[in-house]
Amino acid sequence: MGLAKRIIPCLDVNNGRVVKGVNFVELRDAGDPVEISRRYNEQGADELTFLDITASSDNRDLILHIIEDVAAQVFIPLTVGGGVRQVDDVRRLLNAGADKVSINTSAVQNPQLVADATAHYGSQCIVVAIDAKQINSNDVSPRWEVFTHGGRNPTGIDAIEWAKKMQSLGAGEILLTSMDKDGTRNGFDLALTRAVSDAVDIPIIASGGVGNLDHLVDGILKGQADAVLAASIFHYGEHTIHQAKQYMAKHGIEVRL
Amino acid sequence: MTDIAIVDYGMGNLRSVSKALEYVAPTVTIIVTSDPATVEKAERVVVPGQGAMTNCMRELKKRGLHSAVLEAAANKPFLGICIGLQMLFEESEEGNIKGLGILPGKVLRFPPSAMATPDGQKLKVPHMGWNQVHQTIDHPLWQGITDDARFYFVHSYYVETTGPVAARSNYPFPFICAIAKDNIFAVQFHPEKSHVAGLTLLKNFVNWTPHYADQAR
């Protein structure tokens, strides 16, 4: 027995509410972030990830208050991402009670931010989020490109090379989302997950596409992910975290029950 | 009178530790402080720590907290967490720096050559997530915590010591994840992030009356 594979529910937060959309459109309200965090904590979530998708700058500080509230009553690791542009944003989120901060678009625009943030706060609290899309139709030797701005802007950067570069700059973990799979409920992009997991030595969180519990199992066993992230299968009560873990355990995956 | 001082030497997030202690001990005064005098006056001391040990040791000295931490480790209930465990030892491979030298031993990086499961699967570093903690001694801080309970870890270095071990974990080899000596208890994992098991350990620390080896108190 050893290290357990992790299940991480993801809360997309817009203007102080948890929402879920397909590719960030058609947002549907899923509830109060503090209440949902408490519920997932009770169900045995291994960590929680908050993605702040608030567009209006007026409401950007809402996430800090939410994290403060959650951190006072939920004692598992909290990751927060969305709109992190400078080291000072990292500091403010950590001070509010985040344990890790996830950097996505700003890592592409300014890779030095990852180096500076890890030098200052340590690799353990810097997650680099990569949104990747397959750019050829060759499934024998697929290639994936990094996209920014919630998957809207192509960068020309190869996702595998990018993951390696982020590791070398000090990132402690990679949150890997397939733009092709996100919102489809057809399962993770397993080839992408596997390729990135093989390419780096830091943990990989698989994200994008979970529609049932078998997808979680596949992400670990076939994708070789260290953790699996999902939103909608938990938000709308289809499955509890505990059910998901029992199902994974039944398939021989070590989990924290 | 401060009941518990959490030593703040400017390295990362101490809010988690103070929030968790407030949660298990609502009537206790808990102060996050970088003032050596406050640490000296506190009844109990917690030394957390994140990031690189090199930076932690530098900041500790820069802020004049070095001797206050040594003093606390010598004579009051002392809880070290993560780097707060690692700095108790003589030296670390991380930046080849000296620690406080309170306990014999050194801090080593998980060796890349060893990081695979018996069936050949790669193990990632940092060791990040929930692992089982196998208690090797009876101790008041383990009270109410099941042997092999899971705690949350995130670290790339571990301690090797001939000193007093309180628990081990496996990744993939057994490594020391808790030590206990007199008034000192120190853990590699993060009790403040380890749900019920972690909160139980923190509550046990708040209620702990250590036995001292060389003096009656």
Side-chain angles (χ1 to χ4, degrees), chain A residues 4-257:
Chain A
K5 300 297 180 183
R6 291 169 279 155
I7 294 191
I8 307 175
C10 181
L11 287 67
D12 289 349
V13 180
N14 183 38
N15 293 319
R17 296 287 292 179
V18 177
V19 295
K20 188 59 199 167
V22 177
N23 299 322
F24 299 126
V25 294
E26 296 172 44
L27 296 178
R28 180 176 163 199
D29 190 273
D32 172 60
V34 180
E35 194 182 305
I36 292 175
S37 300
R38 255 199 320 250
R39 190 199 317 150
Y40 291 155
N41 179 46
E42 281 160 19
Q43 291 176 5
D46 294 310
E47 296 184 23
L48 296 174
T49 288
F50 299 82
L51 191 58
D52 184 14
I53 60 170
T54 305
S56 147
S57 57
D58 296 349
N59 290 331
R60 296 232 44 133
D61 281 352
L62 279 177
I63 195 74
L64 295 175
H65 302 308
I66 291 166
I67 298 306
E68 281 172 13
D69 279 358
V70 173
Q73 38 192 315
V74 170
F75 299 100
I76 57 175
L78 310 175
T79 301
V80 187
V84 176
R85 292 186 182 83
Q86 47 200 358
V87 174
D88 195 54
D89 295 330
V90 176
R91 182 188 61 79
R92 294 200 310 153
L93 288 166
L94 294 177
N95 283 347
D99 300 285
K100 310 183 207 179
V101 170
S102 155
I103 304 176
N104 189 335
T105 298
S106 299
V108 174
Q109 291 172 336
N110 173 22
Q112 187 60 31
L113 173 63
V114 174
D116 291 346
T118 55
H120 202 86
Y121 294 108
S123 294
Q124 84 290 335
C125 66
I126 302 301
V127 181
V128 169
I130 301 177
D131 293 342
K133 194 183 264 184
Q134 190 169 340
I135 48 166
N136 60 358
S137 49
N138 182 346
D139 284 338
V140 180
S141 54
R143 282 171 42 232
W144 298 270
E145 181 177 345
V146 176
F147 279 65
T148 59
H149 299 88
R152 287 188 294 276
N153 298 357
T155 64
I157 300 169
D158 179 78
I160 311 291
E161 292 308 314
W162 184 241
K164 288 191 204 166
K165 180 171 180 186
M166 291 299 99
Q167 170 175 272
S168 72
L169 289 181
E173 195 172 27
I174 301 280
L175 167 54
L176 179 66
T177 302
S178 160
M179 299 313 300
D180 301 305
K181 295 290 193 170
D182 198 33
T184 64
R185 303 177 63 90
N186 287 332
F188 295 119
D189 184 335
L190 296 173
L192 168 69
T193 308
R194 178 71 197 246
V196 175
S197 189
D198 284 349
V200 297
D201 297 321
I202 55 179
I204 301 295
I205 305 166
S207 156
V210 173
N212 62 46
L213 300 182
D214 283 312
H215 293 152
L216 300 176
V217 170
D218 287 346
I220 302 287
L221 296 183
K222 296 181 183 159
Q224 296 284 302
D226 301 281
V228 285
L229 181 137
S232 54
I233 63 161
F234 300 129
H235 289 346
Y236 302 111
E238 288 165 50
H239 300 284
T240 65
I241 310 277
H242 188 71
Q243 284 167 348
K245 286 188 162 183
Q246 283 180 318
Y247 194 80
M248 287 164 77
K250 212 175 75 185
H251 286 77
I253 298 170
E254 188 164 353
V255 291
R256 177 179 71 107
L257 278 170

